Amino acid sequence: MIHNQHIKSELGQDIIFQVREISNPFPEVEEQIDKFGHTSFRIKDKPFVIIGESEKGLASLAIKTLKTTQSFLLNQQDRFFKTPYIGQHGWTSLHIGKSLDWKEIEGLIKEAYLQTAPKKIVAAFRSMENPE
C-alpha cells in the first residue's frame, strides 16, 4: 500500500491520516494514489473518498454522497460544495479549514463506503457492526 506520495502539506497529511483511521476498519478498503496525485480510498476499485492538493498546497477532501445528502450539504454553502468534474455523480467536497468536524465527516465516509461497496460486503460489514 502506497501512502502520502503526493500530498505534501501538513494539513493534507493530517486529512489522509484521519480518513485512514476512519476507513481502515471497513472490510476490503484499499488506499491508492492516482495519476493526478490524489489519494483515494476504494472498495473493489471504486473510490468513496478522494483527497487532493493543489500546486499551492491547498488540501481538498471529496466524499461520495447520496444525492439527497449532497443536496442537504450544499445548502450549507459555507462548508460544502459540489466537487468539480464529478459533482453530478453525488461527489461533495468540503471547504478545508483548520478545524474540521471529524465526527460529521466520519458519518459521511461511512455512508460513502456503504453506498459504494457491493451488497455482500455491506452485509458482512453490518453483521460485524451489529453482532447478534
Side-chain angles (χ1 to χ4, degrees):
M1 190 179 325
I2 301 172
H3 296 301
N4 308 334
Q5 190 172 11
H6 296 281
I7 307 290
K8 305 239 186 279
S9 72
E10 186 177 327
L11 182 58
Q13 293 288 322
D14 184 52
I15 291 169
I16 291 172
F17 175 80
Q18 295 288 346
V19 172
R20 192 179 291 139
E21 290 290 307
I22 294 166
S23 300
N24 278 349
F26 302 158
E28 298 189 40
V29 169
E30 293 182 0
E31 183 177 334
Q32 294 181 1
I33 298 174
D34 67 18
K35 63 184 176 185
F36 302 107
H38 300 117
T39 298
S40 63
F41 290 80
R42 300 168 169 265
I43 178 69
K44 296 291 182 187
D45 205 35
K46 293 181 181 177
F48 61 94
V49 175
I50 300 173
I51 303 158
E53 189 169 79
S54 72
E55 292 175 6
K56 296 178 182 179
L58 300 173
S60 64
L61 174 61
I63 302 170
K64 176 80 169 146
T65 58
L66 298 167
K67 293 280 189 165
T68 53
T69 302
Q70 183 186 49
S71 179
F72 173 78
L73 295 173
L74 292 177
N75 284 327
Q76 303 175 39
Q77 295 171 349
D78 60 326
R79 296 179 47 224
F80 298 93
F81 61 97
K82 198 178 273 194
T83 305
Y85 309 109
I86 56 175
Q88 73 273 18
H89 302 293
W91 285 87
T92 306
S93 291
L94 288 86
H95 288 289
I96 303 296
K98 291 286 180 190
S99 63
L100 294 171
D101 182 349
W102 283 105
K103 199 69 176 158
E104 177 183 44
I105 294 168
E106 180 178 3
L108 293 171
I109 290 172
K110 182 178 177 182
E111 177 185 293
Y113 172 81
L114 292 173
Q115 119 181 24
T116 307
K119 289 178 185 177
K120 273 186 163 180
I121 293 174
V122 170
F125 176 78
R126 294 273 191 221
S127 66
M128 179 181 79
E129 195 175 49
N130 300 312
E132 293 178 24

